[in-house]
Amino acid sequence: MSAESALPHHRLPPGNLAELVSGEGGPETLTLLLAAERSRRLLLLRALDDTVDLGPAWDLLSRAQRHAPDVVDDLLMYPQTGMWLATALRGLREVTADDDPPQWVLLGHFAALAAAAGLRAGLDFTLEVPVRHGRVPLPTLGCAVLPVTEPWTTGSVAARSGRAVVEAGGARVAVPLPPGSAGPGWHPLRRIAVGPAGRRLDVMLDDVDPYRTYPRPTEPRPLSEESVAHWRQLLEQAWEVLLAQQPETAGAMRRSLLSLTPTAARERFRPRSVTSGDAFGGIEASEPDDPVQLAVTLKHEFQHTKLGGLLHLTPLLTPAADEEPEWWYAPWRDDPRPLAGLLQGIYAFAGITDFWSAHRTATRTQTPMAHFEFALWRRRTATALEQVRRHPRLTRVGSALLETLHARCAEWLAQPVPGQESALARLCADDHVARWRVHHLRPPAPAVDAAVRAWLEGADAPPGALAAEAEIVPDPSARWLDSLATLVRYRLSGADDDRLPADGAEKAAARVTGALVGDALLAAGDAAGARTAYLTQLADAPLRPGAWAGLAGALATGGTEPAAARLLLRHPERARAVHQALLRTTGTAPDPVRLAAWLGSPPA
């Protein structure tokens, strides 16, 4: 394979750049991004070839390129090839974890790529390949499974006169040619096509390539035929939603969504999906609750794909002058995020907001859930944008992108939403902020001590020092900060009554990881019951972050103790820190509501 050809310079014309900056991007724009990605893959491959001797595998790939250049291009542009290239180059520079494959297995994956190219090009060859826990995955083709007990060993792939076999440890597996069908010991990689002619999505359902999961590789786990059929049906129905409600996105997605990696279902309303800038066109996604959730996931991850392609052409941020990390609140995460990560999230969740904006007005889909999701994500996206849209590190393109998305968000915020769903969205958005603050913000210790002295001395208000900016200290225990929103989704889906009896609240909370009984009551609209439950929780566990945040929502919803509600909504970390210090100093816990009301008074 020739790595000497001059690669083109890639530029995005103003119109195509404007599409991406606005969060959109049609087929022509995605074709330009794919062309740039191809050049990037070739450069990475050349860098690998310059670093290690790729030997006979390089020779075979070169032969395949001469005989069937489209085959090699298809392999080169497969998302998992990009992921492997980046992983291999990093592996040459960094110390790998003990449970990672040995470096010779990592680099030997190139031989599996070359073998796949040789098979698809119809060449005769024999090539040594790695065997991973008895499996030999061949990218874009499938996986051979052999009775080999060693975790890491070698085997071979041989093709002669239209017949191909994989051999290792004295066993052999015949590879069906063409290799799209199953056979003894052979699991084919399924290609799924959904949608009508001319608007069809053609995607690989990848369950065997080690580099199909991001950011760390995992060993092949072939799906059952029943699981494949289920995913096919889900994808068919999700694609119908996208074609009807997001036709521009669907048109671009047809050009650049190349593989979908299915993973196991997760807790209801809590799907997991991942993309990587190194794996352009690939999406990893957990089994969804329903086709609409899958459609949202595809839109979400496609946003990341587009932004990743743009970032390979131009930066959105200038380099940081300070080596200390700069942390930000991301309304869709449990943890503080660096600036670059927050920009990724803003772009992705602007896409999700756009999806729900269209979905909630589509025929027969005007459900409370759709209105709630739209109201929630427009609010969260706006919150994130307001934090950073004038950040000094933004490049010209980065600034244009955030300003354009800010203008779109303003349009969304102006759209009317039914009162109940709007109020629930505000409640959940405020709750997430409060939980995040309690976990990750630490008021200055001297100010907390001063507040303790003032409280004990009977001062009318806390000291002004407590208003100083809190320090962000990432708390690794912060998880499931979306518990209230998840419970609200149960309610809006029709699974819960509006008001729950006490035992019903306990059962509702138990099915949502991280949820408290007070959360279930608050989600059901019982603010008084929620207040009692949160105060009971704080009496037993005064440091429980979720109870402090939930108490804020209960007070705000119930309309009682407005000063305490305001303080707990805006600065719950202050109440928790001072409460903890008072308990430590006096051995007696103050009343949380009374303390919050005092802390919410104008400072002395």
Side-chain angles (χ1 to χ4, degrees):
M1 180 178 184
S2 173
E4 303 296 331
S5 302
L7 295 176
H9 291 284
H10 295 277
R11 295 176 58 86
L12 281 174
N16 302 101
L17 180 60
E19 283 185 1
L20 292 173
V21 161
S22 70
E24 303 297 339
E28 178 187 329
T29 299
L30 269 296
T31 298
L32 293 172
L33 292 182
L34 279 164
E37 190 63 28
R38 179 181 182 278
S39 293
R40 182 175 182 271
R41 300 272 175 92
L42 287 170
L43 288 170
L44 291 176
L45 189 57
R46 174 58 185 269
L48 187 64
D49 184 45
D50 287 345
T51 307
V52 297
D53 181 10
L54 297 174
W58 184 269
D59 297 334
L60 177 58
L61 192 65
S62 298
R63 286 174 55 204
Q65 186 187 41
R66 292 192 295 271
H67 283 80
D70 290 346
V71 164
V72 175
D73 244 22
D74 187 60
L75 269 164
L76 180 71
M77 292 307 298
Y78 194 56
Q80 280 57 286
T81 301
M83 195 71 218
W84 165 74
L85 275 167
T87 304
L89 288 167
R90 280 194 296 268
L92 292 171
R93 301 189 306 267
E94 303 170 358
V95 177
T96 57
D98 292 340
D99 59 346
D100 284 342
Q103 191 175 84
W104 67 265
V105 173
L106 174 61
L107 296 175
H109 186 72
F110 180 73
L113 278 165
L119 290 174
R120 292 179 59 182
L123 303 179
D124 289 349
F125 67 92
T126 299
L127 191 64
E128 185 178 275
V129 293
V131 181
R132 316 167 65 108
H133 297 275
R135 295 181 175 89
V136 178
L138 299 177
T140 73
L141 295 180
C143 178
V145 181
L146 299 116
V148 174
T149 57
E150 297 93 337
W152 316 110
T153 186
T154 58
S156 66
V157 179
R160 292 286 184 277
S161 304
R163 306 183 71 177
V165 295
V166 179
E167 293 187 81
R172 72 166 45 187
V173 169
V175 180
L177 292 178
S181 56
W186 175 256
H187 294 276
L189 188 63
R190 283 87 161 190
R191 182 180 291 276
I192 293 181
V194 296
R199 305 175 74 197
R200 184 165 294 149
L201 176 67
D202 194 341
V203 65
M204 291 287 197
L205 192 68
D206 198 334
D207 54 351
V208 296
D209 194 297
Y211 300 94
R212 72 196 183 281
T213 53
Y214 318 130
R216 291 176 57 83
T218 54
E219 297 311 309
R221 295 190 181 93
L223 295 171
S224 68
E225 290 300 326
E226 292 79 11
S227 292
V228 172
H230 181 57
W231 272 95
R232 186 189 303 274
Q233 181 182 41
L234 285 168
L235 189 59
E236 179 84 50
Q237 294 169 338
W239 189 241
E240 289 177 3
V241 172
L242 290 171
L243 284 177
Q245 299 170 21
Q246 302 272 294
E248 296 82 5
T249 295
M253 206 177 283
R254 289 183 60 234
R255 180 70 185 90
S256 50
L257 177 54
L258 306 176
S259 77
L260 176 62
T261 296
T263 59
R266 287 164 54 91
E267 195 172 309
R268 191 179 181 197
F269 301 121
R270 282 175 165 167
R272 176 186 179 273
S273 59
V274 190
T275 52
S276 169
D278 294 320
F280 188 97
I283 294 175
E284 176 188 353
S286 60
E287 182 181 321
D289 299 339
D290 53 51
V292 171
Q293 190 181 85
L294 180 56
V296 175
T297 293
L298 295 178
K299 171 86 175 189
H300 172 189
E301 298 302 341
F302 187 54
Q303 293 292 104
H304 284 303
T305 295
K306 291 185 294 185
L307 190 61
L310 177 62
L311 287 170
H312 287 162
L313 294 174
T314 185
L316 301 183
L317 297 170
T318 58
D322 194 342
E323 292 185 1
E324 286 296 316
E326 184 181 12
W327 298 116
W328 297 91
Y329 168 63
W332 37 82
R333 295 279 300 218
D334 295 336
D335 54 338
R337 296 295 289 159
L339 182 57
L342 183 60
L343 295 190
Q344 281 277 355
I346 288 171
Y347 197 80
F349 284 91
I352 286 182
T353 307
D354 178 68
F355 175 91
W356 288 111
S357 176
H359 187 69
R360 77 190 188 105
T361 58
T363 305
R364 297 186 302 277
T365 61
Q366 297 183 37
T367 64
M369 181 78 82
H371 291 305
F372 166 77
E373 296 290 1
F374 170 68
L376 179 65
W377 291 116
R378 70 176 179 179
R379 186 180 182 91
R380 288 178 166 176
T381 304
T383 296
L385 277 164
E386 286 300 332
Q387 291 182 97
V388 297
R389 70 186 181 96
R390 292 195 171 96
H391 196 284
R393 284 184 55 205
L394 289 169
T395 64
R396 180 181 59 82
V397 174
S399 181
L401 184 144
L402 291 193
E403 288 299 328
T404 304
L405 293 183
H406 182 263
R408 291 193 70 191
C409 205
E411 295 174 0
W412 290 324
L413 289 168
Q415 294 180 19
V417 173
Q420 173 183 260
E421 289 76 37
S422 179
L424 287 170
R426 182 171 59 254
L427 174 68
C428 292
D430 289 345
D431 179 78
H432 192 278
V433 175
R435 288 175 194 249
W436 188 92
R437 293 185 68 94
V438 173
H439 273 287
H440 301 296
L441 295 190
R442 300 291 176 268
V448 172
D449 292 340
V452 168
R453 290 192 298 271
W455 172 271
L456 294 176
E457 292 168 0
D460 292 334
L466 200 60
E469 185 174 355
E471 179 185 8
I472 296 180
V473 181
D475 176 6
S477 74
R479 299 192 68 195
W480 316 114
L481 304 192
D482 65 340
S483 296
L484 183 63
T486 302
L487 286 161
V488 166
R489 291 181 175 106
Y490 270 102
R491 171 183 169 180
L492 296 179
S493 70
D496 289 337
D497 295 330
D498 274 359
R499 299 185 66 84
L500 298 172
D503 60 339
E506 292 178 3
K507 291 177 181 178
R511 68 188 170 193
V512 175
T513 305
L516 304 175
V517 171
D519 299 335
L521 291 164
L522 187 57
D526 185 355
R531 170 184 168 151
T532 300
Y534 290 129
L535 288 174
T536 301
Q537 179 75 54
L538 289 173
D540 293 336
L543 294 181
R544 189 71 179 258
W548 283 103
L551 182 59
L555 295 177
T557 303
T560 58
E561 290 89 8
R566 282 194 302 272
L567 183 283
L568 289 173
L569 284 172
R570 297 172 185 173
H571 301 289
E573 71 282 358
R574 295 180 188 171
R576 182 175 183 252
V578 174
H579 187 276
Q580 180 185 8
L582 281 166
L583 178 59
R584 186 173 56 245
T585 301
T586 67
T588 302
D591 175 73
V593 176
R594 180 168 165 257
L595 176 63
W598 179 76
L599 291 170
S601 304

